[in-house]
């Protein structure tokens, strides 16, 4: 795509109304798929509407990459996939295949994980004020339960146990509504009935994507684990939650976007009001884990205390594991400050590209397929609903040629949170199905099938 962008000749004034290019990093499987002259068309014609495409082999590779960081640091690690990031059944199956746990926050998520082949003992149950039904099932399954307050502990004491419990910590200085204060933790450690409740350690989940605060809080909690052991609690595990970053675009593309971004790049001269996800991440996923384990010799401290480090990555396990494919239903040309640009109507809605719902925008550029050179064309992408604000891309993307209604538009790296967290059958439009793509054993071609997870509710 970048090659054809460079060869296109830009008429004067175009750059003023066009966003800078944000080409996504592209994994080999995606290059192979985009390079195949027929397969995407075949899938699109069979489905007859927009679809998400998942590549679970990549999830297995992502899990292994995190696992290797633990091995190299000689730390006992446990990985729990933060399930809310994508509902597809193939993700849970990939976790089961790779021996990875799943972090669930509802009864339905728990059932979906078990049905996908994950062992009960490999589940982590998080979320506030869990229902009795969820607490009972989690105890029966032998899951680790991250308890958010004393009330949950009291209700767990009444469940036939023992229950395996982590206490969720309110991070110091945080205004989060989740977790327990120091006093609440002290009280829980003193009062917990060690027969029915096995306190296995602490958990937390921080916003942001920084290594240092995660490592620092883990250090504090190692000390607390040692103290709590004197009260007879096993204290085997510290979970540092999710929030491992994903590197969507190059440092240069991200810098140029951030330096230049202004309302004139957007349809209606209206830029999103909220912050953007940091689409370039210098220490993504496993490298961030390595940085955490290296800070203040955290790895050594964990090892000498005999404590396992649990992580709950959602987005980072789905890096490069999926794309979203739309057809184009219509095209109109408009003027912005005297310069023409195109507005496409995709055959789906922005409910399938979640950032719009946070008044932000998903910045990795979609690919216009088939890929051919042409004249650089600033292009916005609208959804097929009647809502003015239903736009997949408000910014004018520098597409390498004008789109036609025979083309497909492919948004890259959408498996983490973009696909299904906000989907609904608004307007009676069908929810895009998920297609599971696999390489054939000789890796020369792909096979595809539909994911079997029940539709989003
Ligand atoms: C959302 C969430 C995660 C996953 O977060 P990512 O940013 O996707 O890694 C993990 N743990 C808890 C408790 C969460 O709420």
């Amino acid at each position: 795509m970048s090659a054809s962008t460079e060869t296109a000749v830009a008429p004067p004034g175009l750059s003023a109304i066009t966003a800078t290019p944000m080409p996504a990093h592209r994994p080999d499987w995606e290059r192979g798929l985009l390079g195949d002259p027929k397969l995407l068309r075949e899938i699109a014609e069979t489905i007859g509407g927009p679809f998400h495409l998942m590549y679970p082999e990549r999830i297995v590779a992502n899990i292994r990459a995190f696992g290797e960081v633990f091995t190299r640091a000689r730390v006992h690690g446990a990985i729990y996939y933060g399930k809310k990031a994508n509902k597809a059944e193939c993700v849970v199956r990939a976790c089961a295949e790779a021996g990875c746990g799943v972090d669930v926050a509802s009864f339905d998520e728990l059932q979906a994980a078990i049905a996908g082949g994950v062992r009960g003992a490999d589940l982590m149950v998080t979320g506030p004020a869990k229902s009795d039904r969820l607490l009972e099932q989690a105890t029966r399954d032998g899951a680790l339960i991250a308890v958010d307050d004393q009330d949950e502990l009291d209700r767990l004491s009444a469940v036939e146990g023992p229950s395996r419990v982590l206490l969720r910590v309110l991070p110091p200085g945080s205004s989060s509504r989740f977790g327990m204060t120091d006093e609440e933790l002290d009280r829980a450690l003193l009062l917990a009935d060690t027969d029915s409740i096995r306190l296995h350690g602490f958990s937390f989940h921080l916003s942001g994507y920084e290594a240092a605060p995660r490592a620092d809080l883990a250090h504090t909690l190692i000390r607390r684990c040692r103290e709590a052991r004197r009260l007879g609690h096993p204290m085997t595990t510290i979970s540092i939650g999710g929030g491992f970053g994903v590197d969507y675009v190059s440092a240069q593309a991200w810098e140029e976007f951030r330096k230049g971004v202004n309302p004139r790049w957007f349809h209606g001269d209206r830029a999103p009001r909220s912050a953007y996800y940091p689409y370039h991440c210098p220490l993504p996923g496993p490298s961030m884990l390595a940085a955490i384990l290296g800070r203040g010799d955290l790895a050594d401290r964990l090892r000498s205390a005999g404590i396992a480090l649990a992580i709950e990555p959602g987005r980072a396990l789905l890096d490069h594991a999926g794309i979203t494919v739309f057809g184009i239903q219509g095209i109109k040309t408009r003027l912005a400050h005297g310069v023409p640009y195109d507005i496409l109507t995709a055959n789906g809605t922005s409910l399938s590209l979640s950032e719009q719902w946070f008044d932000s925008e998903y910045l990795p550029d979609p690919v216009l397929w088939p890929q051919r050179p042409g004249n650089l064309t600033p292009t916005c992408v609208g959804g097929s609903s009647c809502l003015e604000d239903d736009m997949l891309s408000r910014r004018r993307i520098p597409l390498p040629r004008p789109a036609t209604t025979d083309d497909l538009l492919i948004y890259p790296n959408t498996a983490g949170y973009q696909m299904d967290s906000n989907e609904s059958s608004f307007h009676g439009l069908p929810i895009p199905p998920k297609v599971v793509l696999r390489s054939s054993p000789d890796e020369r071609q792909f096979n595809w099938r539909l994911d079997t997870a029940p539709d989003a509710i």
Side-chain angles (χ1 to χ4, degrees):
M1 180 181 160
S2 56
S4 41
T5 308
E6 278 155 25
T7 52
V9 182
L14 200 77
S15 64
I17 66 141
T18 311
T20 49
M22 292 284 268
H25 298 311
R26 214 167 288 292
D28 286 345
W29 70 265
E30 202 179 308
R31 282 180 202 282
L33 177 68
L34 297 185
D36 185 309
K38 292 203 196 106
L39 183 57
L40 263 175
R41 179 81 64 204
E42 175 193 311
I43 302 174
E45 283 174 3
T46 309
I47 303 285
F51 60 95
H52 303 294
L53 198 141
M54 299 291 294
Y55 191 71
E57 283 160 57
R58 179 65 195 224
I59 301 169
V60 173
N62 290 342
I63 294 168
R64 300 226 159 104
F66 274 104
E68 280 161 20
V69 174
F70 282 125
T71 307
R72 249 179 278 132
R74 291 182 295 123
V75 165
H76 187 102
I79 308 169
Y80 297 88
Y81 160 59
K83 190 172 184 327
K84 69 175 181 287
N86 190 305
K87 294 189 185 91
E89 190 196 29
C90 68
V91 182
V92 164
R93 287 197 179 276
C95 291
E97 182 187 329
C100 171
V102 177
D103 163 23
V104 300
S106 70
F107 191 83
D108 280 28
E109 281 190 347
L110 182 147
Q111 277 192 316
I114 295 278
V118 177
R119 299 183 322 147
D122 291 337
L123 295 179
M124 169 92 76
V125 184
T126 56
K130 291 174 265 302
S131 69
D132 285 341
R133 184 174 177 228
L134 178 55
L135 291 174
E136 281 161 20
Q137 189 63 45
T139 299
R140 262 201 296 283
D141 288 337
L144 259 182
I145 305 172
V147 155
D148 193 53
D149 64 11
Q150 184 63 45
D151 174 63
E152 280 189 346
L153 271 184
D154 295 342
R155 287 188 290 125
L156 265 182
S157 308
V159 172
E160 193 178 338
S163 309
R164 299 168 62 229
V165 168
L166 302 180
L167 298 177
R168 179 145 172 188
V169 175
L170 172 68
S174 162
S175 58
S176 169
R177 70 188 176 93
F178 303 114
M180 302 166 78
T181 63
D182 276 348
E183 296 73 40
E184 288 165 344
L185 293 172
D186 286 340
R187 183 161 178 269
L189 288 165
L190 270 178
L191 296 186
D193 165 5
T194 50
D195 289 333
S196 63
I197 293 189
R198 299 268 149 81
L199 288 181
H200 274 272
F202 299 106
S203 77
F204 62 83
H205 175 68
L206 300 183
S207 53
Y209 305 94
E210 298 296 318
R214 289 171 169 84
D216 295 349
L217 187 47
H219 275 287
T220 308
L221 295 175
I222 292 175
R223 280 197 297 279
R224 267 195 164 274
C225 280
R226 288 185 186 278
E227 288 159 19
R229 279 177 180 163
R230 289 190 219 121
L231 298 168
H233 304 300
M235 308 309 276
T236 57
T237 306
I238 294 170
S239 177
I240 60 170
F244 293 85
V246 165
D247 191 40
Y248 291 86
V249 303
S250 70
Q252 190 196 345
W254 178 231
E255 262 322 289
E256 280 173 16
F257 181 89
R258 288 212 300 179
K259 272 198 221 126
V261 64
N262 73 87
R264 283 196 172 203
W265 283 1
F266 294 82
H267 173 69
D269 285 351
R270 188 175 86 66
R273 279 178 291 261
S274 299
Y276 299 101
Y277 177 87
Y279 285 98
H280 170 67
C281 175
L283 278 186
S287 347
M288 179 171 154
L289 176 61
I292 292 171
L293 286 168
R295 187 172 160 95
D297 290 329
L298 182 62
D300 291 340
R301 297 272 175 85
L302 287 164
R303 217 180 302 120
S304 55
I307 291 174
L309 192 77
I311 57 172
E312 303 158 11
R315 190 190 288 263
L317 284 195
L318 299 169
D319 183 24
H320 288 316
I323 58 178
T324 298
V325 182
F326 295 97
I328 296 167
Q329 286 182 190
I331 300 147
K332 53 171 73 166
T333 301
R334 286 277 176 85
L335 292 180
H337 306 280
V339 183
Y341 71 101
D342 282 355
I343 303 176
L344 311 183
T345 301
N347 65 352
T349 73
S350 54
L351 291 163
S352 300
L353 211 64
S354 304
E355 294 309 308
Q356 308 301 338
W357 297 89
F358 302 104
D359 202 2
S360 184
E361 174 138 320
Y362 188 66
L363 292 182
D365 283 345
V367 170
L368 186 63
W369 191 92
Q371 293 172 282
R372 301 193 280 273
N375 290 324
L376 193 135
T377 308
T379 306
C380 304
V381 186
S384 55
S385 79
C386 298
L387 292 184
E388 191 70 77
D389 279 332
D390 176 21
M391 293 193 73
L392 289 81
S393 300
R394 289 190 74 91
R395 76 188 183 287
R396 298 186 193 95
I397 299 159
L399 290 186
R401 63 176 173 86
T404 75
T405 50
D406 289 331
D407 294 329
L408 297 174
L409 196 63
I410 301 158
Y411 282 89
N413 212 355
T414 51
Y417 292 108
Q418 301 305 321
M419 287 184 177
D420 57 28
S421 65
N422 295 307
E423 283 186 328
S424 83
S425 38
F426 182 54
H427 263 304
L429 294 165
I431 289 174
K434 294 203 181 76
V435 166
V436 183
L437 192 72
R438 286 190 185 275
S439 302
S440 62
D442 63 3
E443 301 203 336
R444 295 260 182 95
Q445 53 186 5
F446 295 109
N447 307 316
W448 67 276
R449 63 170 176 84
L450 286 179
D451 190 72
T452 44
D455 271 348
I457 299 158

